[in-house]
Amino acid sequence: MYRYSDFDAAFVRNRVDQFRAQVERRLDGSLTEDEFKPLRLMNGLYLQLHAYMLRVAIPYGTLNSAQMRQLAMIAERWDKGYGHFTTRQNIQYNWPKLRDVPDMLDALADVGMHAIQTSGNTIRNVTADQFAGAAADEIADPRPVAELLRQWSTDHPEFQFLPRKFKIAITGSPNDRAVTRAHDIGLRMVERDGEPGFEVIVGGGLGRTPMIGKIIREFLPREDLLPYIEAIVSVYNRLGRRDNKYKARIKITVHEHGIEEISQRVEERFAVLRPQFSGVDQELLAMIEAQFAPPIWKTKAEPETPALTAGYRSWIDTNITAHKRADHAIVSVSLKAHGATPGDASAAQMRVLADLAQHYGYDELRISHEQNVILPHVHRADLPAVYAALRAAGLATANIGLASDIIACPGMDYCALATARSIPVAQEIATRFDALKLEHEIGPLKIKISGCINACGHHHVGHIGILGLDRAGVENYQITLGGDGTETATIGERAGPGFAADEIVPAVERLVTAYLDLRASDYETFLQTYRRLGLAPFKAALYPEAVSHAA
Amino acid sequence: MTRRFTPKVVTANDLAEGDVVWLTADDRWTRHIEEAELIEDAGLAELRLLHADSQAHVVVGAYLADATSGPDGPAPLHFREAFRTRGPSNYAHGKQETA
């Protein structure tokens, strides 16, 4: 894992000192809110519906046990004893007091963390495949490059006032777990003639105008990465629309100018920038890579398998992913206990996760964009012990990738931008499917819920997407179907009129019942069935009254 | 015929604490909407909002929210404003915690 250099440590600490003085000046009246707001946003501090909210970056979703313990300490000391993990691999604290925030930032700096550029029109936290460095299907660990991008983009003088926020995601695997096609820039590691490089995707995004990103370079040599990314952001900085917030993201720039023109401008800019990169970036990358060297793998004989309970077998079936080493496994810890708030972990749970990482997991933890926690390297012989510890902490829910493993944004329970609540809908759907005892039979199903059109809950790429809206002063939920956030990325289709809050759970249940009737075999997933049959039979299940009227 | 004015309350978030506050008739900021001033006149509403805007050292983001006269005093009309009087629905945090 990356360790802060003296420069990093001093930079982050200086920023905390600056912000501490800014908070003092705001509280004593020397700064107006108009003056203070951009300063607090630069440091990840929002003002939400009921309180301030501090968004802390977890760069490319990677943290160690000391960092996780510090997150737990912060939750207990300055918040309400829990944290909320987000779809951008951040953690949010929902209840900080303004005066405490500088102390919280100092506590983060103590463990090499910060909240810089988790807001504002800047390059945000670079996200990555949560299985990076562990996945069996991986070409290479993308995190050294993600760290290079973090260092390059942090406080980059040219890119502090972009037309709008800018999000980069990176994966080292052909199976895209980082939603790269729905980011401003998506990077997929590829090889050409044995040379490592990237497929560069630009102009993806969700929100009110969802777009699948377009390939701007099929193969970018590894050493050209920074100048090429700088060229893209620089062209966007120049062309991106500042006249209309809703048309300011690069997806609109690409859409309006066309990928050919953007590509040409980027190549022109790249030709200017490339010679300015002397190779220092590659030296830095080599130093970063050394810090991401794989751990010294434990080797031990597999113990006698204990008498396995049904619960353990079920957990192994759903929550374990193949590791690049046959004697290890990737453990996904679900933060989606049926009826709980997706992505929330108590301080006690964070400490259990930190302990498990330390004892069984080479001191590594990951946060996934699906709001779960990962122990990326666990020896298979340790799986029963890990399961037992997770179970005791209420963290052994066996539902990864299933109907109740729901992404939900905070929605109107917290967010000032939301138009409806998301969390209660997620809680009710999960509780309902748990009662039906059907989710293992249903198999892979991604339900994603956003509480407004900005789509933080990724509803456009959910197999079943739910969008909460305000219809004449009442919460109303629209369903989209057939979305997909992987390498076969697709924007879901709107199914029809929305549903009231008390109708949405039965509507989702009708969809799933229809799928079980329609699937060609037990192995055909919801998404495959949808792709084979299209919207019509699902629409008929959603709106039975419309069918009977037409008859 | 002019449209009937929907009564308003002035609401904001407290600068230091971040929690929801409402403006009272005697120029205090209260944590309870029932104690807020229910403003029944459009002109007066604008004046009260101007007053709130001058309190930038105390509150953030003041605005006028639709309200109605309830049994205990002003009550919210829209569900968003109702949530602001209570807190989130997934935990008993926020105002409902101390209620």
Side-chain angles (χ1 to χ4, degrees):
Chain A
M1 268 187 63
Y2 181 72
R3 299 269 168 197
Y4 273 14
S5 65
D6 292 347
F7 176 87
D8 296 325
F11 174 83
V12 169
R13 200 66 76 173
N14 278 339
R15 184 58 96 75
V16 177
D17 293 344
Q18 269 178 12
F19 189 59
R20 186 180 296 280
Q22 288 157 354
V23 167
E24 283 307 317
R25 283 187 288 148
R26 177 67 184 104
L27 285 167
D28 74 16
S30 326
L31 286 176
T32 66
E33 186 61 19
D34 284 349
E35 290 163 333
F36 179 64
K37 190 176 174 185
L39 301 172
R40 69 167 157 81
L41 290 179
M42 271 180 209
N43 293 288
L45 186 65
Y46 286 74
L47 183 55
Q48 294 286 43
L49 219 48
H50 312 291
Y52 285 98
M53 179 272 279
L54 181 66
R55 180 183 291 158
V56 177
I58 298 170
Y60 33 90
T62 292
L63 69 172
N64 61 27
S65 62
Q67 290 171 325
M68 187 63 114
R69 283 197 192 95
Q70 192 78 336
L71 294 179
M73 186 282 283
I74 290 170
E76 277 180 344
R77 181 154 174 202
W78 291 294
D79 208 86
K80 290 190 188 286
Y82 74 101
H84 175 74
F85 292 103
T86 77
T87 54
R88 297 220 72 258
Q89 300 179 318
N90 297 308
I91 182 169
Q92 295 182 173
Y93 293 105
N94 286 323
W95 302 96
K97 306 277 187 273
L98 180 56
R99 200 180 297 280
D100 292 336
V101 173
D103 291 339
M104 295 168 82
L105 295 176
D106 254 332
L108 289 168
D110 289 344
V111 291
M113 295 181 80
H114 62 68
I116 296 168
Q117 287 180 214
T118 58
S119 177
N121 294 333
T122 55
I123 298 173
R124 303 286 187 90
N125 185 27
V126 176
T127 53
D129 181 356
Q130 68 272 17
F131 297 162
D137 60 354
E138 186 172 84
I139 295 169
D141 187 344
R143 292 174 302 155
V145 171
E147 173 59 28
L148 183 71
L149 287 166
R150 186 189 72 84
Q151 297 190 16
W152 161 82
S153 62
T154 300
D155 225 26
H156 193 301
E158 192 178 332
F159 303 142
Q160 291 303 298
F161 298 95
L162 293 169
R164 198 78 179 85
K165 58 189 167 184
F166 202 92
K167 300 176 183 175
I168 302 176
I170 179 165
T171 177
S173 294
N175 296 301
D176 185 358
R177 288 173 289 261
V179 210
T180 58
R181 288 179 175 272
H183 280 76
D184 296 283
I185 292 178
L187 297 168
R188 296 181 58 213
M189 285 186 164
V190 287
E191 278 176 338
R192 180 180 279 184
D193 305 326
E195 286 297 305
F198 300 94
E199 177 187 84
V200 183
I201 300 155
V202 70
L206 300 174
R208 72 179 57 217
T209 321
M211 303 243 189
I212 297 297
K214 296 183 172 65
I215 296 171
I216 187 166
R217 256 294 194 113
E218 282 180 2
F219 184 83
L220 181 74
R222 223 170 88 108
E223 61 276 15
D224 288 346
L225 183 73
L226 280 194
Y228 193 80
I229 299 293
E230 187 156 312
I232 294 176
V233 185
S234 150
V235 166
Y236 163 63
N237 203 12
R238 182 86 180 272
L239 293 183
R241 288 182 58 174
R242 288 176 151 85
D243 63 315
N244 182 342
K245 182 179 168 180
Y246 303 121
K247 296 188 174 177
R249 295 289 288 271
I250 194 174
K251 61 189 173 186
I252 305 292
T253 317
V254 171
H255 182 71
E256 289 184 348
H257 291 261
I259 187 71
E260 292 77 20
E261 186 197 331
I262 297 293
S263 172
Q264 190 192 329
R265 283 177 181 259
V266 168
E267 293 297 337
E268 284 166 12
R269 182 77 185 138
F270 175 65
V272 174
L273 289 173
R274 184 67 190 87
Q276 296 174 20
F277 280 74
S278 60
V280 172
D281 58 318
Q282 293 305 300
E283 287 166 27
L284 188 59
L285 180 59
M287 280 160 55
I288 295 169
E289 272 175 337
Q291 300 194 45
F292 282 94
I296 296 160
W297 303 108
K298 284 183 237 177
T299 50
K300 45 183 160 185
E302 302 258 350
E304 286 292 303
T305 312
L308 298 181
T309 62
Y312 177 75
R313 277 201 306 271
S314 169
W315 179 77
I316 290 283
D317 284 346
T318 52
N319 293 35
I320 300 300
T321 307
H323 194 275
K324 62 185 178 185
R325 284 180 61 92
D327 60 351
H328 279 64
I330 302 172
V331 174
S332 291
V333 180
S334 170
L335 295 184
K336 316 288 178 67
H338 300 102
T341 302
D344 278 11
S346 68
Q349 289 176 327
M350 290 185 218
R351 289 197 182 98
V352 168
L353 290 163
D355 289 347
L356 289 174
Q358 196 170 14
H359 296 311
Y360 301 109
Y362 304 90
D363 209 33
E364 264 202 54
L365 290 153
R366 308 286 174 74
I367 308 304
S368 72
H369 84 270
E370 289 177 320
Q371 302 178 281
N372 292 312
V373 179
I374 318 298
L375 293 160
H377 317 293
V378 177
H379 195 284
R380 285 189 170 269
D382 293 328
L383 288 174
V386 168
Y387 173 74
L390 288 173
R391 192 157 178 267
L395 287 168
T397 311
N399 65 346
I400 295 292
L402 302 183
S404 59
D405 184 9
I406 299 170
I407 288 185
C409 73
M412 204 185 273
D413 285 308
Y414 298 90
C415 178
L417 300 174
T419 44
R421 287 173 296 177
S422 324
I423 291 169
V425 177
Q427 290 173 308
E428 285 164 29
I429 292 174
T431 304
R432 179 65 186 149
F433 278 103
D434 190 39
L436 291 172
K437 295 293 168 215
L438 265 182
E439 58 178 340
H440 289 267
E441 192 187 332
I442 296 161
L445 177 61
K446 294 196 187 290
I447 301 176
K448 302 181 196 270
I449 309 173
S450 304
C452 82
I453 201 162
N454 294 310
C456 295
H458 292 191
H459 65 278
H460 297 297
V461 292
H463 302 164
I464 298 175
I466 299 172
L467 166 62
L469 295 169
D470 172 354
R471 283 277 176 265
V474 180
E475 288 168 295
N476 189 274
Y477 295 90
Q478 246 173 36
I479 290 182
T480 51
L481 292 172
D484 172 9
T486 70
E487 63 283 358
T488 46
T490 311
I491 302 292
E493 287 177 82
R494 227 184 102 183
F499 295 88
D502 59 354
E503 294 172 345
I504 184 67
V505 179
V508 170
E509 190 179 330
R510 287 201 298 282
L511 277 174
V512 173
T513 307
Y515 152 68
L516 291 173
D517 289 342
L518 291 164
R519 66 182 177 183
S521 77
D522 289 358
Y523 302 102
E524 190 179 59
T525 65
F526 181 92
L527 187 61
Q528 287 165 343
T529 304
Y530 183 82
R531 285 183 170 160
R532 180 169 58 83
L533 296 173
L535 183 60
F538 292 97
K539 197 164 176 170
L542 271 180
Y543 306 101
E545 62 285 0
V547 174
S548 59
H549 287 167
Chain B
M1 207 179 92
T2 53
R3 238 179 107 207
R4 202 183 140 75
F5 178 73
T6 306
K8 303 279 188 277
V9 288
V10 176
T11 183
N13 287 75
D14 182 83
L15 171 64
E17 300 288 313
D19 61 339
V20 176
V21 290
W22 292 269
L23 185 62
T24 64
D26 58 353
D27 292 349
R28 288 177 301 112
W29 290 98
T30 173
R31 260 76 186 173
H32 308 283
I33 191 173
E34 299 82 13
E35 296 174 7
E37 175 184 16
L38 188 68
I39 309 163
E40 315 246 11
D41 174 85
L44 181 61
E46 289 307 315
L47 281 174
R48 297 301 284 155
L49 183 60
L50 277 176
H51 173 75
D53 286 340
S54 73
Q55 305 269 302
H57 54 294
V58 186
V59 298
V60 183
Y63 64 94
L64 294 166
D66 289 348
T68 185
S69 182
D72 304 316
L77 272 176
H78 190 276
F79 62 89
R80 184 179 194 269
E81 292 305 315
F83 296 155
R84 290 177 80 246
T85 67
R86 293 198 296 265
S89 48
N90 59 331
Y91 302 115
H93 289 158
K95 296 199 186 301
Q96 61 200 339
E97 197 171 11
T98 48

